[in-house]
Amino acid sequence: FCMDRYFTMEPRTKGTVPKVSSAFQSYLAVRRRFDERSIPHLNIQEIAKMLKGLGNALLEELGEEVLLPNRKQPFPNELYTQLTHWIPEGTRLGRFAYYSKTRFGRTWKGILKVLDFSGFRKAEWTLSAGTKRKGHRFKGLKLRNLAFRFNGDSEVPTRTPTLQQLRSMKINVSLIFLYPGPSKSDPDGTVFGTKAIPFLYTGEDSAAAAIRDMVIDALEDGLEGEKFLDRALFADDSGMPLEAGHMDDALHDALQALRVPPELARKYSWHSVRIRLACKLRAAHKDDHTIQACVRWRSSKALDIYARFEPRFYWSLLMDTVVHDATSVEISTLPEIDEERRLRALQ
Protein backbone atom coordinates (compact mmCIF):
# COMPACT_ATOMS: atom_id res chain seq x y z
CA PHE A 1 0.00 0.00 0.00
CA CYS A 2 2.71 2.47 1.00
CA MET A 3 4.77 1.86 -2.14
CA ASP A 4 1.75 2.12 -4.44
CA ARG A 5 0.59 5.23 -2.64
CA TYR A 6 3.99 6.90 -2.92
CA PHE A 7 4.53 6.25 -6.61
CA THR A 8 1.05 7.53 -7.51
CA MET A 9 1.22 10.73 -5.44
CA GLU A 10 1.56 14.15 -7.03
CA PRO A 11 4.20 16.53 -5.57
CA ARG A 12 3.10 19.77 -3.95
CA THR A 13 5.81 21.74 -5.78
CA LYS A 14 6.35 21.47 -9.51
CA GLY A 15 9.74 20.00 -10.41
CA THR A 16 10.05 18.03 -7.17
CA VAL A 17 8.91 14.62 -5.97
CA PRO A 18 6.69 13.77 -2.98
CA LYS A 19 8.15 12.97 0.41
CA VAL A 20 8.11 9.31 1.37
CA SER A 21 6.75 10.39 4.75
CA SER A 22 3.56 11.55 2.99
CA ALA A 23 2.84 7.96 1.93
CA PHE A 24 3.49 6.86 5.50
CA GLN A 25 0.95 9.40 6.76
CA SER A 26 -1.59 7.91 4.36
CA TYR A 27 -0.95 4.50 5.88
CA LEU A 28 -1.36 5.91 9.39
CA ALA A 29 -4.80 7.23 8.43
CA VAL A 30 -5.81 3.73 7.33
CA ARG A 31 -4.26 2.24 10.45
CA ARG A 32 -6.39 4.48 12.67
CA ARG A 33 -9.47 3.01 10.96
CA PHE A 34 -8.14 -0.47 11.69
CA ASP A 35 -7.75 0.47 15.35
CA GLU A 36 -11.34 1.70 15.52
CA ARG A 37 -12.56 -1.68 14.25
CA SER A 38 -10.03 -3.80 16.18
CA ILE A 39 -8.50 -5.09 12.94
CA PRO A 40 -4.94 -6.41 13.40
CA HIS A 41 -2.27 -4.46 11.53
CA LEU A 42 1.40 -4.74 10.59
CA ASN A 43 4.37 -3.72 12.75
CA ILE A 44 4.53 0.04 12.32
CA GLN A 45 8.19 0.29 13.36
CA GLU A 46 9.23 -2.11 10.59
CA ILE A 47 7.20 -0.22 8.01
CA ALA A 48 8.75 3.07 9.15
CA LYS A 49 12.27 1.67 8.81
CA MET A 50 11.58 0.35 5.29
CA LEU A 51 10.17 3.70 4.18
CA LYS A 52 13.15 5.52 5.66
CA GLY A 53 15.32 3.26 3.56
CA LEU A 54 13.32 4.20 0.47
CA GLY A 55 13.69 7.87 1.34
CA ASN A 56 17.44 7.51 1.76
CA ALA A 57 17.73 5.75 -1.60
CA LEU A 58 15.76 8.50 -3.34
CA LEU A 59 17.90 11.18 -1.72
CA GLU A 60 21.01 9.41 -2.94
CA GLU A 61 19.63 9.21 -6.47
CA LEU A 62 17.83 12.55 -6.86
CA GLY A 63 19.52 14.88 -4.39
CA GLU A 64 18.18 16.96 -1.53
CA GLU A 65 16.98 19.94 -3.54
CA VAL A 66 14.54 17.75 -5.48
CA LEU A 67 13.17 15.75 -2.56
CA LEU A 68 13.46 18.45 0.13
CA PRO A 69 13.12 21.81 -1.65
CA ASN A 70 11.74 23.76 1.33
CA ARG A 71 14.15 23.02 4.14
CA LYS A 72 13.77 25.11 7.26
CA GLN A 73 16.34 27.80 8.02
CA PRO A 74 18.02 28.70 11.34
CA PHE A 75 16.95 31.73 13.33
CA PRO A 76 19.62 34.43 12.87
CA ASN A 77 20.77 36.23 16.01
CA GLU A 78 18.65 39.33 15.42
CA LEU A 79 15.43 37.37 15.00
CA TYR A 80 16.24 35.09 17.94
CA THR A 81 16.76 38.15 20.17
CA GLN A 82 13.48 39.65 18.98
CA LEU A 83 11.59 36.43 19.73
CA THR A 84 13.15 36.27 23.20
CA HIS A 85 12.90 39.91 24.28
CA TRP A 86 10.97 42.13 21.86
CA ILE A 87 7.50 40.64 21.44
CA PRO A 88 5.03 43.45 22.30
CA GLU A 89 3.20 43.04 25.61
CA GLY A 90 -0.34 41.72 25.18
CA THR A 91 0.34 40.08 21.80
CA ARG A 92 -1.82 37.04 21.08
CA LEU A 93 0.38 34.04 20.40
CA GLY A 94 -2.07 31.36 19.34
CA ARG A 95 -4.28 30.60 22.35
CA PHE A 96 -1.95 32.51 24.69
CA ALA A 97 -1.58 36.18 25.55
CA TYR A 98 2.06 37.20 25.85
CA TYR A 99 3.16 39.27 28.84
CA SER A 100 6.80 38.92 29.81
CA LYS A 101 6.10 38.79 33.56
CA THR A 102 3.38 36.12 33.41
CA ARG A 103 3.85 32.37 33.58
CA PHE A 104 3.49 31.95 29.83
CA GLY A 105 5.93 34.80 29.27
CA ARG A 106 8.50 33.07 31.47
CA THR A 107 7.83 29.75 29.76
CA TRP A 108 8.18 31.27 26.28
CA LYS A 109 11.54 32.73 27.24
CA GLY A 110 12.54 29.44 28.86
CA ILE A 111 11.76 27.47 25.70
CA LEU A 112 13.88 29.72 23.50
CA LYS A 113 16.75 29.90 26.00
CA VAL A 114 16.86 26.14 26.59
CA LEU A 115 16.49 25.17 22.93
CA ASP A 116 19.27 27.55 21.94
CA PHE A 117 21.80 25.44 23.87
CA SER A 118 20.15 22.01 23.54
CA GLY A 119 18.45 21.80 20.14
CA PHE A 120 15.56 19.69 21.43
CA ARG A 121 13.06 18.58 18.81
CA LYS A 122 9.51 19.85 19.24
CA ALA A 123 8.34 16.28 19.82
CA GLU A 124 10.59 16.12 22.90
CA TRP A 125 8.94 19.02 24.76
CA THR A 126 5.35 19.27 23.49
CA LEU A 127 2.27 17.07 23.60
CA SER A 128 1.35 15.76 20.14
CA ALA A 129 -2.23 15.72 18.90
CA GLY A 130 -2.08 11.93 18.57
CA THR A 131 -0.90 11.45 22.16
CA LYS A 132 -3.67 13.72 23.43
CA ARG A 133 -6.33 12.05 21.29
CA LYS A 134 -5.39 8.58 22.52
CA GLY A 135 -5.14 9.71 26.12
CA HIS A 136 -1.57 8.48 26.42
CA ARG A 137 0.79 9.75 29.09
CA PHE A 138 3.04 12.68 28.19
CA LYS A 139 6.58 11.36 27.68
CA GLY A 140 8.36 14.64 26.93
CA LEU A 141 10.61 16.73 29.13
CA LYS A 142 9.46 16.96 32.74
CA LEU A 143 10.85 18.37 35.95
CA ARG A 144 12.16 14.88 36.72
CA ASN A 145 14.60 15.44 33.85
CA LEU A 146 16.32 18.17 35.88
CA ALA A 147 19.03 18.00 38.54
CA PHE A 148 20.57 20.90 40.47
CA ARG A 149 24.03 21.55 41.87
CA PHE A 150 24.04 24.80 43.82
CA ASN A 151 27.41 25.03 45.58
CA GLY A 152 30.12 23.71 43.33
CA ASP A 153 31.41 20.56 41.65
CA SER A 154 31.79 18.55 44.86
CA GLU A 155 28.09 18.76 45.70
CA VAL A 156 25.79 15.80 44.96
CA PRO A 157 23.08 17.01 42.52
CA THR A 158 19.48 17.06 43.78
CA ARG A 159 16.26 16.59 41.83
CA THR A 160 14.04 18.21 44.45
CA PRO A 161 15.31 21.74 45.10
CA THR A 162 13.75 24.11 47.62
CA LEU A 163 12.55 27.62 46.92
CA GLN A 164 15.34 28.97 49.09
CA GLN A 165 17.99 27.11 47.11
CA LEU A 166 16.56 28.29 43.80
CA ARG A 167 16.36 31.92 44.91
CA SER A 168 19.96 31.94 46.15
CA MET A 169 21.73 30.49 43.08
CA LYS A 170 25.34 31.63 42.75
CA ILE A 171 26.66 33.22 39.58
CA ASN A 172 29.20 31.04 37.76
CA VAL A 173 28.84 28.36 40.46
CA SER A 174 25.32 26.89 40.38
CA LEU A 175 24.53 24.40 37.62
CA ILE A 176 21.29 22.93 36.32
CA PHE A 177 21.46 19.61 34.44
CA LEU A 178 18.82 18.71 31.89
CA TYR A 179 18.67 15.01 30.96
CA PRO A 180 17.21 14.32 27.49
CA GLY A 181 14.93 11.34 27.00
CA PRO A 182 15.77 8.58 24.49
CA SER A 183 15.84 10.04 21.00
CA LYS A 184 12.80 9.45 18.81
CA SER A 185 15.14 9.12 15.82
CA ASP A 186 16.39 5.75 16.99
CA PRO A 187 14.55 3.11 14.91
CA ASP A 188 15.51 0.09 17.01
CA GLY A 189 14.81 1.41 20.51
CA THR A 190 18.43 1.68 21.63
CA VAL A 191 18.90 4.49 24.17
CA PHE A 192 21.40 7.15 23.14
CA GLY A 193 22.02 10.86 23.64
CA THR A 194 20.83 10.90 27.26
CA LYS A 195 23.85 12.54 28.91
CA ALA A 196 22.96 15.62 30.93
CA ILE A 197 23.14 19.03 29.25
CA PRO A 198 24.64 21.53 31.75
CA PHE A 199 23.36 25.08 32.18
CA LEU A 200 25.59 27.34 34.25
CA TYR A 201 23.86 30.16 36.11
CA THR A 202 25.58 33.27 34.74
CA GLY A 203 22.94 35.85 35.63
CA GLU A 204 19.27 36.65 35.29
CA ASP A 205 19.27 36.49 31.49
CA SER A 206 20.77 33.00 31.39
CA ALA A 207 19.05 29.77 30.37
CA ALA A 208 19.63 28.48 33.91
CA ALA A 209 17.66 31.43 35.32
CA ALA A 210 14.81 30.71 32.88
CA ILE A 211 14.70 27.06 34.00
CA ARG A 212 14.83 28.14 37.65
CA ASP A 213 11.83 30.45 37.18
CA MET A 214 9.73 27.63 35.69
CA VAL A 215 10.65 25.34 38.59
CA ILE A 216 9.72 28.09 41.08
CA ASP A 217 6.31 28.35 39.39
CA ALA A 218 5.76 24.62 39.97
CA LEU A 219 6.80 24.82 43.63
CA GLU A 220 4.58 27.85 44.22
CA ASP A 221 1.68 25.77 42.89
CA GLY A 222 2.25 23.56 45.93
CA LEU A 223 3.58 20.57 43.98
CA GLU A 224 5.83 18.10 45.74
CA GLY A 225 7.03 14.52 45.39
CA GLU A 226 5.86 12.68 42.28
CA LYS A 227 3.42 15.44 41.33
CA PHE A 228 6.32 17.89 41.18
CA LEU A 229 8.56 15.53 39.22
CA ASP A 230 5.75 14.67 36.79
CA ARG A 231 5.05 18.32 35.86
CA ALA A 232 5.99 19.13 32.26
CA LEU A 233 9.07 21.33 32.06
CA PHE A 234 7.24 23.64 29.64
CA ALA A 235 3.69 23.85 30.96
CA ASP A 236 0.70 26.14 30.41
CA ASP A 237 -0.99 28.17 33.14
CA SER A 238 -2.91 25.11 34.34
CA GLY A 239 0.25 23.01 34.56
CA MET A 240 -0.53 20.89 31.49
CA PRO A 241 2.08 20.13 28.80
CA LEU A 242 2.16 22.61 25.93
CA GLU A 243 0.52 21.18 22.83
CA ALA A 244 2.52 20.99 19.59
CA GLY A 245 -0.18 22.61 17.46
CA HIS A 246 -0.67 25.46 19.92
CA MET A 247 3.06 26.19 19.92
CA ASP A 248 3.19 26.16 16.12
CA ASP A 249 0.40 28.75 16.15
CA ALA A 250 2.25 30.77 18.81
CA LEU A 251 5.46 30.88 16.76
CA HIS A 252 3.52 31.85 13.63
CA ASP A 253 1.86 34.72 15.48
CA ALA A 254 5.15 35.81 17.06
CA LEU A 255 6.81 36.07 13.65
CA GLN A 256 3.81 38.01 12.40
CA ALA A 257 3.94 40.36 15.40
CA LEU A 258 7.62 41.01 14.67
CA ARG A 259 6.65 41.84 11.07
CA VAL A 260 8.66 39.06 9.50
CA PRO A 261 7.58 38.91 5.82
CA PRO A 262 5.31 35.89 5.16
CA GLU A 263 7.62 34.43 2.51
CA LEU A 264 10.46 34.50 5.05
CA ALA A 265 8.34 33.34 8.00
CA ARG A 266 7.47 30.16 6.08
CA LYS A 267 11.14 29.17 6.29
CA TYR A 268 11.05 29.05 10.09
CA SER A 269 9.66 26.54 12.55
CA TRP A 270 10.64 25.25 15.98
CA HIS A 271 13.17 23.08 14.13
CA SER A 272 14.96 26.33 13.24
CA VAL A 273 16.33 26.53 16.79
CA ARG A 274 17.88 23.08 16.45
CA ILE A 275 19.43 24.03 13.12
CA ARG A 276 20.63 27.28 14.72
CA LEU A 277 22.61 25.39 17.37
CA ALA A 278 24.28 23.20 14.74
CA CYS A 279 25.11 26.22 12.57
CA LYS A 280 26.62 28.14 15.49
CA LEU A 281 28.74 25.14 16.50
CA ARG A 282 30.04 24.95 12.94
CA ALA A 283 30.72 28.70 12.96
CA ALA A 284 32.73 28.13 16.15
CA HIS A 285 34.89 25.65 14.16
CA LYS A 286 33.69 22.53 15.97
CA ASP A 287 34.19 19.29 14.07
CA ASP A 288 31.33 17.17 12.75
CA HIS A 289 31.51 14.61 15.53
CA THR A 290 31.34 17.31 18.21
CA ILE A 291 28.33 18.88 16.48
CA GLN A 292 26.66 15.47 16.29
CA ALA A 293 27.34 14.96 19.97
CA CYS A 294 25.94 18.33 21.06
CA VAL A 295 22.68 17.88 19.15
CA ARG A 296 22.48 14.19 20.10
CA TRP A 297 22.61 12.52 16.69
CA ARG A 298 23.23 8.80 16.76
CA SER A 299 26.78 7.97 15.70
CA SER A 300 29.33 5.76 17.44
CA LYS A 301 32.00 8.42 17.10
CA ALA A 302 29.70 11.11 18.47
CA LEU A 303 28.79 8.92 21.41
CA ASP A 304 32.48 8.32 22.19
CA ILE A 305 33.03 12.07 22.40
CA TYR A 306 29.75 12.80 24.16
CA ALA A 307 30.41 10.30 26.94
CA ARG A 308 33.62 12.13 27.83
CA PHE A 309 32.03 15.58 28.20
CA GLU A 310 32.67 16.97 31.68
CA PRO A 311 30.04 19.59 32.69
CA ARG A 312 32.34 22.62 32.71
CA PHE A 313 33.93 21.62 29.41
CA TYR A 314 30.52 20.96 27.84
CA TRP A 315 29.29 24.37 29.00
CA SER A 316 32.40 26.13 27.66
CA LEU A 317 31.83 24.38 24.33
CA LEU A 318 28.26 25.67 24.18
CA MET A 319 29.38 29.17 25.21
CA ASP A 320 31.72 29.22 22.21
CA THR A 321 28.57 29.55 20.10
CA VAL A 322 27.38 32.77 21.75
CA VAL A 323 29.58 35.07 19.67
CA HIS A 324 28.50 33.51 16.38
CA ASP A 325 25.44 33.94 14.18
CA ALA A 326 23.64 30.97 12.65
CA THR A 327 23.73 32.67 9.24
CA SER A 328 27.54 32.65 9.07
CA VAL A 329 27.68 29.12 7.64
CA GLU A 330 25.84 27.31 4.88
CA ILE A 331 23.48 24.57 6.07
CA SER A 332 24.87 22.34 3.36
CA THR A 333 28.22 22.25 5.21
CA LEU A 334 26.65 20.69 8.29
CA PRO A 335 26.35 17.01 9.09
CA GLU A 336 22.77 15.98 8.38
CA ILE A 337 20.21 16.95 11.02
CA ASP A 338 16.82 16.35 9.40
CA GLU A 339 15.41 13.07 10.68
CA GLU A 340 14.58 11.93 7.13
CA ARG A 341 18.28 12.14 6.21
CA ARG A 342 20.01 11.24 9.46
CA LEU A 343 20.60 7.53 8.86
CA ARG A 344 22.05 8.02 5.40
CA ALA A 345 24.32 10.85 6.52
CA LEU A 346 25.69 9.03 9.54
CA GLN A 347 26.34 5.66 7.88
Side-chain angles (χ1 to χ4, degrees), residues 27-326:
Y27 170 72
L28 292 180
V30 175
R31 186 175 185 270
R32 285 192 286 272
R33 293 294 185 183
F34 284 2
D35 288 340
E36 291 172 2
R37 302 181 184 184
S38 300
I39 300 174
H41 43 68
L42 301 175
N43 186 305
I44 194 169
Q45 285 79 19
E46 291 299 318
I47 294 174
K49 284 196 287 187
M50 287 187 286
L51 290 177
K52 277 193 174 183
L54 173 61
N56 293 336
L58 290 169
L59 281 166
E60 188 73 37
E61 179 182 350
L62 302 175
E64 296 174 1
E65 297 306 320
V66 174
L67 197 61
L68 300 167
N70 299 312
R71 289 178 293 173
K72 298 302 181 184
Q73 300 297 310
F75 291 137
N77 285 353
E78 182 179 2
L79 179 56
Y80 172 79
T81 300
Q82 291 175 336
L83 287 167
T84 309
H85 297 289
W86 295 356
I87 295 177
E89 297 287 306
T91 300
R92 294 295 304 185
L93 301 183
R95 65 185 292 266
F96 307 101
Y98 176 84
Y99 293 93
S100 59
K101 302 300 183 182
T102 63
R103 178 169 295 191
F104 177 74
R106 292 189 292 274
T107 300
W108 176 265
K109 181 178 180 181
I111 292 168
L112 288 164
K113 289 283 186 180
V114 170
L115 296 189
D116 199 37
F117 288 115
S118 64
F120 282 112
R121 303 174 183 89
K122 183 179 64 175
E124 295 177 284
W125 57 272
T126 61
L127 179 70
S128 70
T131 299
K132 181 181 179 182
R133 182 178 63 251
K134 296 176 182 177
H136 291 172
R137 185 181 181 188
F138 175 62
K139 295 182 179 179
L141 293 175
K142 300 180 181 181
L143 297 186
R144 69 172 67 254
N145 293 81
L146 297 174
F148 302 81
R149 182 188 288 167
F150 294 102
N151 298 307
D153 295 345
S154 61
E155 180 187 6
V156 177
T158 178
R159 293 186 182 271
T160 53
T162 66
L163 284 171
Q164 181 179 355
Q165 287 174 316
L166 292 167
R167 288 170 175 159
S168 58
M169 290 177 67
K170 300 175 182 177
I171 292 180
N172 294 328
V173 174
S174 299
L175 275 164
I176 298 177
F177 300 94
L178 178 53
Y179 291 83
S183 174
K184 78 177 184 69
S185 293
D186 182 7
D188 62 11
T190 304
V191 175
F192 70 98
T194 56
K195 297 291 183 182
I197 302 169
F199 294 89
L200 182 67
Y201 176 66
T202 58
E204 286 303 292
D205 198 40
S206 65
I211 296 172
R212 175 207 60 195
D213 290 344
M214 293 185 290
V215 176
I216 288 176
D217 283 337
L219 289 174
E220 289 184 338
D221 283 344
L223 298 182
E224 56 185 21
E226 281 299 311
K227 288 186 177 180
F228 168 79
L229 295 173
D230 208 43
R231 166 70 68 89
L233 175 60
F234 304 120
D236 62 18
D237 290 348
S238 63
M240 300 302 294
L242 294 172
E243 296 182 26
H246 293 164
M247 294 312 297
D248 287 339
D249 293 341
L251 180 59
H252 173 273
D253 291 349
L255 294 171
Q256 191 174 59
L258 295 170
R259 299 185 178 181
V260 177
E263 63 275 12
L264 183 58
R266 283 193 291 270
K267 297 181 179 180
Y268 299 125
S269 71
W270 286 109
H271 203 62
S272 296
V273 197
R274 181 170 171 80
I275 304 170
R276 170 181 165 82
L277 174 60
C279 287
K280 292 197 301 175
L281 286 164
R282 172 50 54 85
H285 306 293
K286 305 305 175 184
D287 60 63
D288 285 358
H289 297 308
T290 300
I291 297 173
Q292 289 170 341
C294 286
V295 294
R296 303 173 319 284
W297 299 325
R298 190 183 184 196
S299 140
S300 59
K301 184 65 176 177
L303 286 177
D304 288 343
I305 296 173
Y306 194 91
R308 292 197 297 268
F309 281 177
E310 184 273 332
R312 291 278 175 167
F313 170 73
Y314 192 168
W315 178 250
S316 68
L317 199 160
L318 293 174
M319 289 304 293
D320 285 345
T321 69
V322 172
V323 297
H324 296 284
D325 195 344

